[in-house]
Amino acid sequence: MKWNNVQEENEALKEKAAAVVSIKSEQPQNENTKTSKDHDIKSGLEMLDIVFVLGVVDTTDSADPNDITMRKIGFNEILRRDSRPRISSDALKVYALDQNKFYGKDIQCQAMQELAERTTSH
């Protein structure tokens, strides 16, 4: 008997979820979706100036977990914007060596590639 109650409850929840999805899909979606407080939630990191993002990535002296996370996010944003050549060589050396294993293989590889390109182009 209890199984039937749980099953019925699950069916009711599924119906409610389907109703919410259909209501949301009927609402018009514009390019820069805004919340009720007119916050831009689509632009993402494009709102940050590239100089600011480069400043975050180039400052590699802190081992604070929040700073490391911000540097990872910033590095990936710089890659997304195709601005890897703008990262300082000193910062690239830190990312390429990744002595404390803060940044991961993807960032390490990108830093090595950029340093290699700079070395071969001179």
Side-chain angles (χ1 to χ4, degrees):
M1 189 77 170
K2 187 168 186 166
W3 175 255
N4 288 337
N5 289 339
V6 171
Q7 191 173 12
E8 290 171 3
E9 185 177 348
N10 284 340
E11 290 300 320
L13 289 173
K14 286 180 187 177
E15 288 175 16
K16 287 180 184 178
V20 169
V21 169
S22 69
I23 290 171
K24 289 212 177 229
S25 64
E26 291 172 7
Q27 293 176 349
Q29 299 288 325
N30 64 14
E31 236 172 82
N32 290 324
T33 304
K34 301 205 179 225
T35 64
S36 61
K37 295 181 183 176
D38 289 335
H39 293 290
D40 185 357
I41 59 173
K42 282 286 192 179
S43 295
L45 292 179
E46 279 104 18
M47 295 173 61
L48 298 176
D49 185 47
I50 189 68
V51 175
F52 173 78
V53 178
L54 284 166
V56 170
V57 171
D58 286 345
T59 307
T60 58
D61 54 354
S62 172
D64 180 80
N66 292 330
D67 292 341
I68 293 166
T69 301
M70 289 302 296
R71 286 195 294 267
K72 286 181 184 179
I73 293 169
F75 197 99
N76 287 321
E77 178 63 14
I78 288 170
L79 294 177
R80 193 186 68 73
R81 293 185 191 186
D82 294 324
S83 297
R84 188 176 72 180
R86 296 182 68 181
I87 301 172
S88 73
S89 293
D90 290 335
L92 285 171
K93 289 175 193 173
V94 171
Y95 293 111
L97 292 174
D98 197 13
Q99 290 177 331
N100 297 314
K101 307 288 185 229
F102 289 150
Y103 306 109
K105 298 289 184 190
D106 292 335
I107 290 176
Q108 186 179 28
C109 181
Q110 289 293 322
M112 284 184 201
Q113 285 178 351
E114 181 59 30
L115 286 172
E117 286 177 20
R118 291 179 188 188
T119 304
T120 58
S121 65
H122 287 115

